[in-house]
Amino acid sequence: MRLYKVIHRAPIRVAKITTKRQQLRFKRAMVALKIALAQEKQETKEMLIIYRRYTQGEVSKEDLQKANAQFVDILKGLGLGVFAVLPFAPVTIPLVVKLGQWVGVDVLPSSFNISKPLKEIDQIIAQEQQKQASEKATEQTVKSNVKK
């Protein structure tokens, strides 16, 4: 009888652990994507500022090279955007990235090639959860104050 309970409960426990692991993996991937997009946004703003200064003749060669490198990153992102429109994009994009790695061509923009440790990403997730919890608490206090 006891053996039956162990055999019966184990798959449920394994399913719960697997689900939590997949949720954590998904959260980590989304936070890493958010960080990469924020970095890409900041670099693009800097690029536009450098190009604006270039039109006025107030830029150094190093800054111009940095802006040109960012422009190449933007073109890489647009190139992947073409594959996003095609059918079977969830298959073709990873295939193109892997094929590019195999051939030795960097297909992804530089901000997407970050490899942050999992601890840093987990800390960012925890901070966001605390921020959301504090926002909910303030909303509830505001609602309770309005009702009074």
Side-chain angles (χ1 to χ4, degrees):
M1 181 72 167
R2 187 172 183 202
L3 181 64
Y4 174 74
K5 286 182 181 180
V6 171
I7 292 173
H8 180 67
R9 289 185 182 175
I12 295 170
R13 188 178 73 211
V14 169
K16 287 179 183 179
I17 291 170
T18 303
T19 303
K20 291 223 183 237
R21 184 181 300 135
Q22 289 174 349
Q23 289 174 348
L24 182 61
R25 206 177 282 158
F26 181 74
K27 282 182 183 179
R28 285 178 179 162
M30 291 297 109
V31 168
L33 179 65
K34 179 181 174 183
I35 292 169
L37 288 174
Q39 180 182 352
E40 192 72 26
K41 176 183 171 185
Q42 182 64 31
E43 290 175 355
T44 303
K45 283 183 180 181
E46 291 174 7
M47 177 196 72
L48 292 173
I49 291 169
I50 291 171
Y51 282 150
R52 185 180 314 136
R53 286 190 347 212
Y54 175 74
T55 60
Q56 299 168 354
E58 305 171 352
V59 70
S60 65
K61 286 190 176 191
E62 295 86 22
D63 288 341
L64 191 59
Q65 287 175 352
K66 182 180 175 184
N68 289 339
Q70 177 58 28
F71 186 67
V72 169
D73 278 351
I74 290 173
L75 292 178
K76 287 179 185 179
L78 290 175
L80 282 179
V82 170
F83 289 108
V85 175
L86 295 175
F88 304 109
V91 176
T92 57
I93 292 175
L95 184 67
V96 167
V97 171
K98 197 60 153 173
L99 184 64
Q101 289 175 352
W102 184 61
V103 174
V105 177
D106 191 20
V107 179
L108 291 174
S110 61
S111 61
F112 288 91
N113 291 333
I114 58 172
S115 57
K116 284 195 177 247
L118 293 178
K119 288 183 180 180
E120 289 182 24
I121 294 175
D122 289 340
Q123 288 174 352
I124 293 170
I125 290 172
Q127 289 172 355
E128 288 180 358
Q129 288 175 347
Q130 288 176 353
K131 183 179 175 183
Q132 289 174 354
S134 65
E135 288 174 357
K136 286 182 182 179
T138 56
E139 286 177 10
Q140 290 176 353
T141 56
V142 169
K143 287 180 182 177
S144 64
N145 290 339
V146 170
K147 289 180 181 178
K148 292 180 181 179

